Amino acid sequence: MTFVVPFDGSKLAETALVRAVEFGTVLDERVVAISVIPEGNTSYAREHGWLDPGEAFDLDAVVGRLHEAVTHRAPNAEFRYEVVGRRATTGTIASRIRERARDADASMVFVGSENAGRLVSSLSSVGETVAAADAYDVVIVRQREPSRVESIDDASPYRRPKSDFY
C-alpha cells in the first residue's frame, strides 16, 4: 500500500508530507507526493509560489521546484506530477489527484487543507474533493506545524507495561 500526498508546495502540503513520512516510517509504507500543474498558467504558478514575480512560465522549472521541495522534506518519497490544461478547474485538479491515488494503490491520502472535511466547506477546494473519495482513508492536516511520532508513541496506552495478570 501507499500513502499519497497531494503536493502544491504550500505549508499545509509540506506538513502533510512530513506527517505521511512519519506514519510511513512507523508502518513501513511508501510515500508518493503528487503535484498537478496547469500548463502555462503563470498566475496560478505565482499564486502557489512556483514562479517568482516577473518570471515566465517554464514547466521544467516548476516541476524542478516542486520536486526539490518534496525531496527537501521527504528525501525518500516518490515525486510524481501531472500536467493539466491551462484553465483547469479545482475539480479537474482534484480528479487527477484521486486518479493518481487510485493508480498508486493508496491506503491513505494526507491532505493539507484548512477547510477539507468540515461540515461547511468551499466548493472550490481541491482538498474537499480529494477527501470525499471512499477508495482510501484520509488524514486531513490543518495545523502547519508537524506532529511528532514520539509524542504519539509516548501517549499510547499500548506502550505501557502490562500488569502481572498477563
Side-chain angles (χ1 to χ4, degrees):
M1 297 285 189
T2 304
F3 294 159
V4 169
V5 182
F7 190 82
D8 64 2
S10 67
K11 286 291 189 192
L12 282 171
E14 288 179 350
T15 304
L17 180 61
V18 168
R19 291 198 182 147
V21 169
E22 289 172 339
F23 277 74
T25 299
V26 171
L27 300 173
D28 195 28
E29 297 281 350
R30 74 185 178 129
V31 175
V32 176
I34 300 172
S35 297
V36 178
I37 304 164
E39 173 71 46
N41 192 329
T42 305
S43 62
Y44 186 92
R46 283 196 186 119
E47 287 171 18
H48 285 80
W50 304 343
L51 295 175
D52 293 329
E55 185 178 6
F57 188 91
D58 177 359
L59 182 60
D60 291 336
V62 169
V63 170
R65 287 178 182 154
L66 286 165
H67 183 250
E68 186 177 302
V70 167
T71 57
H72 175 73
R73 295 277 183 223
N76 294 327
E78 292 178 38
F79 173 72
R80 298 180 187 172
Y81 71 94
E82 176 101 9
V83 178
V84 294
R86 176 186 185 107
R87 301 195 195 302
T89 64
T90 55
T92 298
I93 293 169
S95 292
R96 292 295 173 90
I97 292 168
R98 289 169 63 173
E99 290 168 12
R100 297 299 78 82
R102 280 192 299 274
D103 293 346
D105 193 26
S107 55
M108 294 179 81
V109 174
F110 289 72
V111 178
S113 177
E114 292 176 338
N115 64 355
R118 293 190 185 194
L119 292 176
V120 178
S121 64
S122 167
L123 294 176
S124 65
S125 170
V126 169
E128 175 67 22
T129 306
V130 172
D134 60 1
Y136 42 76
D137 288 334
V138 177
V139 175
I140 299 172
V141 178
R142 292 190 181 127
Q143 303 299 318
R144 287 175 174 77
E145 296 299 319
S147 66
R148 306 269 312 149
V149 170
E150 296 84 4
S151 300
I152 296 168
D153 191 39
D154 290 344
S156 171
Y158 302 107
R159 298 306 248 167
R160 294 191 179 101
K162 293 184 179 181
S163 70
D164 290 338
F165 180 75
Y166 295 98

